[in-house]
């Protein structure tokens, strides 16, 4: 008890001394912040952009930059949020991880859960599941030319990975503007059976298919000519059962909101969080 009284007396003397000398007493360390920082490290990569950091329950996200850094900022509009929220770290071809933050009226509580006293989250390392790469037989094509596209999915993890395409087989698209629908080279059979395959560690699956470069397509009864320019070749794949705990809100965010996020050095025309290596071609006259 004497020690406690002496400590309190010493503190009062220090505060009184500061007041007499016109010196402000030391400020208390902040307990909340509206900005937190972190870093995502992607296995087998030297450039770490394109990871989605998604705030579950608030339906908002940011992307990592080329160094893997990210910043989450909360505003007055978030003042309705209080409680524990998950941050989901996600790329299509990587294992996902979660960290937790605690909000009080839209402000992050420091030194709580996975946020330290300085508003930082420890670096997160995501493990790669699939290496996805594709290539074409040429880099330039004219309308009517035959293009042969090869895509390979390699399991680079230490566990079995099930890949699938739901309802149709091998859709291939040309992208040149994320605000527009892609040009489809394949005739999808949406009533078709799901296709799937288990890849053991080190195994790969490869598809090869040829298409004629079309004059264009029709979307909502409107003809769209395929104009000269640069296009990214894309095909879709799903790693089955990898997001069993994430609801449709997250899936819709990835599908419809991701491409709007400003991010670091990422593949041009990229349409979702990934480290796929797909070819760019030129359509020439």
């Amino acid at each position: 008890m004497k020690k406690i009284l002496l400590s309190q007396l010493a503190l009062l003397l220090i505060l009184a001394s500061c007041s007499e000398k016109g010196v402000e007493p030391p400020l208390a360390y902040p307990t909340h912040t509206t900005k937190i920082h972190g870093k995502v490290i992607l296995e087998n990569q030297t450039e770490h952009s394109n990871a989605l950091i998604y705030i579950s329950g608030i339906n908002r996200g940011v992307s990592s930059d080329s160094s893997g850094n990210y910043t989450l900022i909360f505003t007055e509009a978030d003042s309705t949020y209080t409680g524990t929220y998950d941050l989901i770290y996600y790329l299509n071809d990587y294992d996902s991880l979660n960290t937790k933050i605690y909000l009080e009226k839209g402000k992050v509580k420091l030194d709580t859960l996975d946020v330290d006293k300085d508003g930082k989250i420890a670096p997160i390392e995501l493990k790669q599941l699939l290496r996805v790469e594709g290539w074409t037989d040429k880099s330039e094509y004219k309308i009517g030319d035959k293009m042969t596209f090869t895509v390979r999915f390699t399991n680079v993890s230490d566990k079995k990975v099930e890949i699938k395409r739901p309802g149709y087989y091998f859709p291939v698209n040309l992208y040149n503007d994320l605000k527009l629908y892609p040009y489809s080279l394949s005739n999808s059979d949406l009533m078709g059976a799901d296709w799937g395959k288990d890849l053991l560690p080190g195994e790969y699956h490869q598809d090869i298919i040829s298409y004629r470069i079309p004059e264009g397509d029709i979307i909502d009864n409107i003809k769209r000519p395929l104009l000269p320019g640069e296009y990214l070749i894309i095909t879709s794949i799903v790693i089955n059962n990898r997001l069993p705990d994430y609801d449709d809100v997250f899936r819709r965010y990835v599908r419809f909101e991701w491409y709007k996020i400003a991010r670091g050095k990422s593949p041009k025309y990229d349409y979702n969080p990934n480290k796929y290596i797909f070819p760019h071609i030129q359509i020439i006259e």
Side-chain angles (χ1 to χ4, degrees):
M1 180 63 74
K2 285 184 178 180
K3 289 184 178 180
I4 295 174
L5 291 174
L6 288 173
S7 298
Q8 292 176 340
L9 180 59
L11 178 60
L12 289 172
L13 290 173
I14 291 171
L15 293 175
S17 175
C18 290
S19 178
E20 289 175 3
K21 296 177 181 178
V23 178
E24 292 292 330
L27 296 176
Y29 211 92
T31 58
H32 295 77
T33 183
T34 57
K35 183 185 295 186
I36 56 176
H37 308 272
K39 184 169 187 172
V40 180
I41 301 169
L42 302 178
E43 184 184 35
N44 300 324
Q45 304 292 334
T46 58
E47 193 278 326
H48 303 279
S49 69
N50 243 29
L52 168 62
I53 299 89
Y54 175 81
I55 312 172
S56 181
I58 298 181
N59 197 34
R60 193 166 73 234
V62 297
S63 171
S64 58
D65 66 15
S66 296
S67 298
N69 298 315
Y70 67 90
T71 300
L72 289 167
I73 299 175
F74 298 86
T75 67
E76 185 65 29
D78 299 313
S79 61
T80 56
Y81 298 113
T82 293
T84 300
Y85 292 85
D86 283 338
L87 302 185
I88 301 171
Y89 301 81
Y90 176 83
L91 291 94
N92 283 359
D93 40 344
Y94 277 72
D95 237 343
S96 58
L97 288 175
N98 291 21
T99 58
K100 294 183 181 295
I101 63 174
Y102 190 83
L103 295 179
E104 286 185 347
K105 295 182 178 180
K107 295 183 178 181
V108 181
K109 191 173 182 181
L110 294 170
D111 205 18
T112 302
L113 298 177
D114 291 312
V115 181
D116 70 12
K117 62 182 179 62
D118 297 314
K120 295 181 180 179
I121 295 176
I124 295 294
E125 182 175 3
L126 299 184
K127 298 294 184 181
Q128 190 171 15
L129 296 175
L130 286 179
R131 182 172 66 246
V132 183
E133 52 197 335
W135 56 92
T136 52
D137 56 331
K138 298 189 301 182
S139 60
E140 293 184 343
Y141 298 90
K142 295 180 179 180
I143 301 299
D145 284 352
K146 184 176 78 170
M147 180 193 75
T148 299
F149 175 59
T150 303
V151 61
R152 179 182 294 176
F153 306 95
T154 304
N155 182 354
V156 296
S157 73
D158 58 359
K159 58 187 176 182
K160 182 178 72 175
V161 175
E162 180 187 358
I163 59 174
K164 65 180 295 186
R165 293 190 180 94
Y168 47 83
Y169 184 70
F170 207 175
V172 177
N173 300 310
L174 298 178
Y175 281 80
N176 74 339
D177 189 338
L178 288 173
K179 297 178 182 178
L180 302 175
Y181 287 106
Y183 294 86
S184 178
L185 300 182
S186 52
N187 295 317
S188 301
D189 179 10
L190 297 180
M191 301 302 292
D194 288 353
W195 172 88
K197 183 174 182 178
D198 290 343
L199 295 178
L200 297 177
E203 289 186 338
Y204 70 86
H205 173 77
Q206 182 168 298
D207 284 323
I208 304 174
I209 196 165
S210 296
Y211 293 107
R212 294 287 176 183
I213 300 297
E215 294 182 353
D217 63 5
I218 299 176
I219 296 292
D220 296 331
N221 296 319
I222 299 175
K223 290 184 178 181
R224 297 191 307 165
L226 186 65
L227 301 175
E230 181 182 5
Y231 291 82
L232 173 67
I233 309 294
I234 285 293
T235 186
S236 63
I237 197 74
V238 174
I239 300 177
N240 198 27
N241 298 323
R242 66 167 304 217
L243 298 175
D245 299 325
Y246 301 161
D247 59 23
D248 286 341
V249 173
F250 175 77
R251 297 174 190 272
R252 286 197 301 270
Y253 184 90
V254 171
R255 183 175 179 184
F256 297 114
E257 300 296 329
W258 160 254
Y259 73 89
K260 302 174 185 177
I261 296 176
R263 48 196 187 274
K265 182 183 177 183
S266 59
K268 189 176 180 183
Y269 310 139
D270 188 32
Y271 75 117
N272 61 29
N274 68 66
K275 282 298 184 183
Y276 298 167
I277 305 171
F278 280 150
H280 290 238
I281 64 168
Q282 291 285 339
I283 302 298
I284 59 177
E285 297 180 347

